[in-house]
Amino acid sequence: MHALANPARFQRFSARALPWCAGVTAILLLVGLYMAFFVAPPDYQQKETVRIMFVHVPAAWWSMAGYAFLAALGAALLVWKHPLAALMARAAAPVGAAYAATCLITGSFWGRPMWGTWWVWDARLTSMLVLFFLFLGHIALSRAFDSPERGDRAAAILALIGVINLPIIKFSVDWWNTLHQPASVVKLDGPAIHSSILVPLLVMAVAFLMLFITLVMMRTETEIGRRRLEMAALAAE
């Protein structure tokens, strides 16, 4: 990360890596969606509704990982004054918010036929909603000050405070008696789902990760350009 701290160096790296990342993302999404909708069998209990999981679960995983990334960028900004951290955090927060929103929306679509309700104030659902609001709060704080530096520092502090919500999301199904089912993939004794469902799910998970990296890289380039324009406008006044 420090090797890319210089925005110009990051842009040179991004110019080479971005086409490859976008291509791999497109291929993985096509393969993953084909496997999810045409190869994976319907679940014996959930029937065709199980296919929602191929979008819902990767969105949940990478929204949480995206927030951990946001917190790491916040630490890099506050402790090491990393010159690229603030710009990358501004790029990552909306992508993380979109992933969290996708998780919540697809969860509602799954919950209506399975639980008989679109929403319940379950521990897992509520903590995931809090994660979505934390992303929105980061976006709002980073743009709430006249000085971009002050906004970036305030948003970084929120990112570090909000990271406490991540273990709550992960272990909420173990700590409380919730409606949401316990973990079935990331378990100490191995996944509890059949390989015919697990393999497409993992392909989609890698596809969502590559999409996250691609979008953050593209948005970081935009933020670098925007910051340079702002500095040029201030210099011209």
Side-chain angles (χ1 to χ4, degrees):
M1 186 102 178
H2 279 283
L4 301 175
N6 184 296
R9 191 177 303 157
F10 171 83
Q11 285 185 304
R12 288 196 295 273
F13 168 79
S14 177
R16 292 193 298 269
L18 196 50
W20 288 97
C21 289
V24 171
T25 299
I27 292 171
L28 285 172
L29 278 175
L30 287 173
V31 172
L33 288 172
Y34 175 79
M35 295 178 73
F37 285 97
F38 299 105
V39 177
D43 183 74
Y44 77 103
Q45 281 184 322
Q46 303 177 39
K47 307 301 180 187
E48 298 292 342
T49 310
V50 74
R51 303 190 194 282
I52 297 175
M53 183 183 68
F54 296 117
V55 173
H56 173 73
V57 173
W61 285 349
W62 297 120
S63 63
M64 294 172 61
Y67 194 86
F69 178 58
L70 206 59
L73 290 171
L77 174 65
L78 296 174
V79 178
W80 297 290
K81 314 295 183 190
H82 196 298
L84 200 60
L87 298 174
M88 194 170 280
R90 285 178 176 240
V95 182
Y99 272 43
T102 300
C103 170
L104 291 167
I105 292 169
T106 53
S108 292
F109 287 145
W110 184 89
R112 184 67 182 90
M114 290 293 103
W115 295 341
T117 180
W118 296 101
W119 177 263
V120 62
W121 292 103
D122 171 273
R124 171 63 66 86
L125 275 67
T126 304
S127 53
M128 181 54 74
L129 181 63
V130 170
L131 181 68
F132 175 63
F133 287 143
L134 284 169
F135 277 121
L136 295 186
H138 188 284
I139 297 168
L141 263 182
S142 65
R143 291 159 174 76
F145 296 86
D146 293 333
S147 165
E149 289 76 14
R150 290 179 61 196
D152 291 333
R153 285 196 295 272
I157 292 171
L158 175 67
L160 289 172
I161 294 173
V163 80
I164 194 173
N165 188 49
L166 296 183
I168 295 176
I169 297 173
K170 168 62 182 163
F171 297 109
S172 58
V173 291
D174 302 317
W175 292 342
W176 295 288
N177 183 22
T178 66
L179 185 60
H180 197 285
Q181 65 272 26
S184 55
V185 178
V186 184
K187 297 174 61 180
L188 291 177
D189 55 349
I193 59 178
H194 192 268
S195 59
S196 60
I197 301 289
L198 180 62
V199 172
L201 178 62
L202 294 179
V203 173
M204 286 296 289
V206 179
F208 269 58
L209 170 61
M210 290 305 301
L211 180 62
F212 186 92
I213 293 171
T214 302
L215 291 176
V216 170
M217 204 177 294
M218 292 173 63
R219 287 186 49 79
T220 301
E221 285 196 349
T222 303
E223 291 294 337
I224 291 172
R226 180 181 300 165
R227 187 63 59 92
R228 284 177 175 163
L229 286 175
E230 291 173 354
M231 293 174 65
L234 286 174
E237 288 180 355

